[in-house]
Amino acid sequence: MADEMHTSSPLGAPVTKWLKIWMRTVGTFYVFLFVATAILKLPIQALAPEGTLDQAANGDGVAMFLVDTWVILGLAIGSIGVALWVASRNVAEASVLVWTVIGFELIWGIFSDIYQIVRGHPIEKIIIWVVIHVLFITTGILALRSTRN
């Protein structure tokens, strides 16, 4: 343990702190995404046809399904964010969760972004998400690798 605290991450923090910072940063972002999707419904306002939320409020089945899908996705993302925060209290036991989040970022993140681009969605609305996913994947792998030194 003493050796671990003397080893530094690329940012100069002790390795356990580096992984804890990663977990709490990504966890916080995921909780923010929960609020943005499930409560504020920002993706629907930004990406769905105008009036979708009003149609859902008036009982339109397709619009309700769209809203419900985003709310459920927000709940799932938020629960992962909370799990990252809880697990960050014991980073030595958290590598499986971190690898799961990295896989989530790759499959749900980058692959779904590519899917949306191929389907004709505007790349300028999607590219920032690709950057975020790559950032989380890269820094997550670096944080995990730093714990092995």
Side-chain angles (χ1 to χ4, degrees):
M1 182 77 161
D3 288 340
E4 183 177 58
M5 295 309 287
H6 294 292
T7 305
S8 293
S9 72
L11 297 178
V15 293
T16 54
K17 184 140 179 127
W18 170 238
L19 187 55
K20 182 182 283 191
I21 290 168
W22 184 90
M23 293 173 73
R24 290 184 176 180
T25 301
V26 175
T28 299
F29 187 73
Y30 279 19
V31 170
F32 164 76
L33 288 178
F34 156 72
V35 172
T37 58
I39 298 171
L40 301 177
K41 298 177 180 57
L42 296 179
I44 298 168
Q45 293 177 37
L47 302 172
E50 190 172 329
T52 298
L53 290 172
D54 291 335
Q55 291 173 341
N58 291 325
D60 180 276
V62 174
M64 289 171 59
F65 178 76
L66 176 70
V67 170
D68 291 346
T69 300
W70 276 103
V71 168
I72 292 166
L73 178 62
L75 290 168
I77 294 169
S79 66
I80 294 168
V82 170
L84 283 165
W85 263 91
V86 170
S88 73
R89 291 184 285 171
N90 186 5
V91 295
E93 302 294 325
S95 65
V96 171
L97 177 59
V98 174
W99 279 114
T100 300
V101 171
I102 290 168
F104 185 73
E105 287 292 326
L106 178 64
I107 303 299
W108 168 77
I110 294 176
F111 288 0
S112 68
D113 292 338
I114 292 169
Y115 171 80
Q116 289 180 69
I117 292 168
V118 168
R119 298 271 297 156
H121 294 272
I123 194 167
E124 62 274 4
K125 290 185 177 183
I126 297 169
I127 197 68
I128 187 65
W129 292 105
V130 173
V131 171
I132 291 168
H133 299 311
V134 169
L135 179 67
F136 284 171
I137 291 167
T138 305
T139 56
I141 291 170
L142 289 173
L144 282 169
R145 289 184 74 199
S146 71
T147 63
R148 285 195 248 154
N149 294 337

